[in-house]
Amino acid sequence: MACLVCIDTSAVGINQWCGKFSHISYPGLNWVCWPFQTVASVSTKVMPIDVTTQTKTKDNVTLTVRSSIQVSVDPAKADQYYFRLSNPHLQVTAHVDDCIRSALPALNLDEAFESKESMANDIKATVGTSMEPYGLIVHKALVTDMQADPSVLAAMNEINASRRQRDAAVERAEAEKILAVKAAEAEAEAKELSGIGVAKMRQAIMAGFKGSIDSMSKECGLEPREIVHMVLVTQYLDVLKDFAQSGKATMVIPHGPSAVSDMETQVRNGFMQAKGGGGSNKVMAGGGGSGMALPSVESMLTTAEAMVTAAGLPSLEGGNLPGQLNMQQ
């Protein structure tokens, strides 16, 4: 009896006459002499075959590799696929496992993660060559995942974090180094400019001193040494005046049983630098009558009182000396 059989576009038909392969029927309307002739449909759609493989790397890390193989039946060899393969999924899985377990043990963990593309190409070439005689075409091989033990992944993450922290520390140290160098350069330039300013200030002071000495030598007839003493005394009195006016400064003066005699000696030595004159209140320095005339203690105290008053300091009278001491002759 003649029958009509329709073959789908995405399939081919395997014709058998009394159980023996006759020919391949292609999509469309086909005549079949039933019951002596039968037709079996074989899909030519692309099928994904997912494979999970466990293996070890060169550094003894266990990896779980998941791959996906995209295969389809070759319409021209559909009879080989139909009659020769009993379980295509297991056949493809075996070839994928063999390829992965041959490649990964020669690589360490980092190299294994870096070689996913080359491994996928090797799987495609190996499986395609092995399954071609059975009418299977390998379109694409994908390594979709590589999963190590969670403890190994945690260690890898810690290593990467430590490496990045070390790089960050190096960059931070470089930045601090640049800041320190720039600060040192700025400080060096500031000190250089300050030194130039101090040098110019000292030159101006020396020029002023020189002008003052020349002027006083010409107009007053004083010796340079006497002028220097007078300038030092003036500066000393200015310092005392600033102390008295500030109200916040403190000046410590040594005091002891010999404070009065020490003060008298210092005043006398100061006046010994000046030229002496005549008078009943003069004392001759030295053993003979030709020595330098020195003022008496009363005149020295009067002069000191005038100098202190001009400086704006407390009076020497009434026991106002440091330590509540009274100056006596």
Side-chain angles (χ1 to χ4, degrees), residues 249-320:
T250 302
M251 182 172 63
V252 180
I253 300 177
H255 174 67
S258 61
V260 176
S261 60
D262 291 343
M263 186 178 296
E264 181 179 356
T265 302
Q266 292 176 9
V267 174
R268 182 181 296 277
N269 291 336
F271 281 100
M272 285 177 62
Q273 303 298 326
K275 291 183 178 181
S280 60
N281 292 329
K282 308 291 184 179
V283 180
M284 302 300 295
S290 60
M292 180 181 296
L294 296 178
S296 64
V297 175
E298 291 84 352
S299 61
M300 288 188 292
L301 289 174
T302 303
T303 304
E305 178 71 21
M307 295 170 65
V308 170
T309 303
L313 297 173
S315 175
L316 295 174
E317 296 180 355
N320 291 328

Side-chain angles (χ1 to χ4, degrees), residues 185-199:
E185 292 177 355
E187 183 178 0
E189 293 179 2
K191 288 183 177 179
E192 181 181 1
L193 296 177
S194 176
I196 295 174
V198 171

Side-chain angles (χ1 to χ4, degrees), residues 23-293:
H23 63 277
I24 297 175
S25 298
Y26 292 96
L29 186 63
N30 293 269
W31 290 94
V32 176
C33 186
W34 189 84
F36 303 101
Q37 188 178 8
T38 60
V39 178
S41 178
V42 176
S43 175
T44 58
K45 293 180 180 180
V46 176
M47 301 176 295
I49 299 177
D50 297 328
V51 182
T52 300
T53 306
Q54 287 189 342
T55 185
K56 291 180 67 176
T57 60
K58 186 177 181 180
D59 46 358
N60 293 324
V61 177
T62 302
L63 277 180
T64 300
V65 182
R66 293 180 176 86
S67 56
S68 179
I69 315 301
Q70 312 294 323
V71 299
S72 66
V73 176
D74 185 1
K77 296 181 179 180
D79 57 324
Q80 299 294 327
Y81 172 81
Y82 184 80
F83 291 109
R84 299 183 63 182
L85 286 179
S86 62
N87 194 331
H89 187 278
L90 289 180
Q91 292 285 341
V92 172
T93 299
H95 287 289
V96 172
D97 288 343
D98 180 69
C99 181
I100 292 177
R101 289 170 179 165
S102 298
L104 282 184
L107 306 174
N108 57 38
L109 185 60
D110 293 335
E111 293 173 347
F113 278 98
E114 294 173 358
S115 63
K116 289 177 63 177
E117 188 67 26
S118 60
M119 188 182 304
N121 294 331
D122 292 342
I123 293 173
K124 178 183 177 181
T126 301
V127 176
T129 303
S130 301
M131 301 305 294
E132 183 181 6
Y134 302 98
L136 277 179
I137 301 174
V138 179
H139 298 281
K140 189 72 175 178
L142 303 174
V143 177
T144 57
D145 188 23
M146 281 188 181
Q147 193 71 29
D149 187 80
S151 60
V152 177
L153 293 178
M156 292 177 62
N157 293 333
E158 186 176 353
I159 292 173
N160 291 331
S162 300
R163 183 182 298 114
R164 292 183 182 276
Q165 290 176 358
R166 183 174 63 251
D167 294 341
V170 171
E171 295 296 331
R172 185 165 53 252
E174 289 293 332
E176 292 176 356
K177 175 183 175 183
I178 293 173
L179 291 176
V181 170
K182 292 299 181 181
E185 292 177 355
E187 183 178 0
E189 293 179 2
K191 288 183 177 179
E192 181 181 1
L193 296 177
S194 176
I196 295 174
V198 171
K200 291 183 178 180
M201 180 186 69
R202 290 177 178 175
Q203 290 177 359
I205 293 174
M206 294 304 298
F209 273 132
K210 182 179 179 182
S212 299
I213 292 173
D214 293 341
S215 176
M216 296 181 70
S217 297
K218 293 178 181 179
E219 296 180 3
C220 301
L222 297 177
E223 296 294 332
R225 185 175 182 181
E226 298 172 348
I227 297 172
V228 170
H229 282 295
M230 185 181 66
V231 171
L232 292 177
V233 171
T234 304
Q235 291 180 345
Y236 176 71
L237 292 177
D238 290 339
V239 172
L240 294 180
K241 181 178 180 181
D242 292 338
F243 267 98
Q245 291 178 349
S246 65
K248 298 180 180 180
T250 302
M251 182 172 63
V252 180
I253 300 177
H255 174 67
S258 61
V260 176
S261 60
D262 291 343
M263 186 178 296
E264 181 179 356
T265 302
Q266 292 176 9
V267 174
R268 182 181 296 277
N269 291 336
F271 281 100
M272 285 177 62
Q273 303 298 326
K275 291 183 178 181
S280 60
N281 292 329
K282 308 291 184 179
V283 180
M284 302 300 295
S290 60
M292 180 181 296

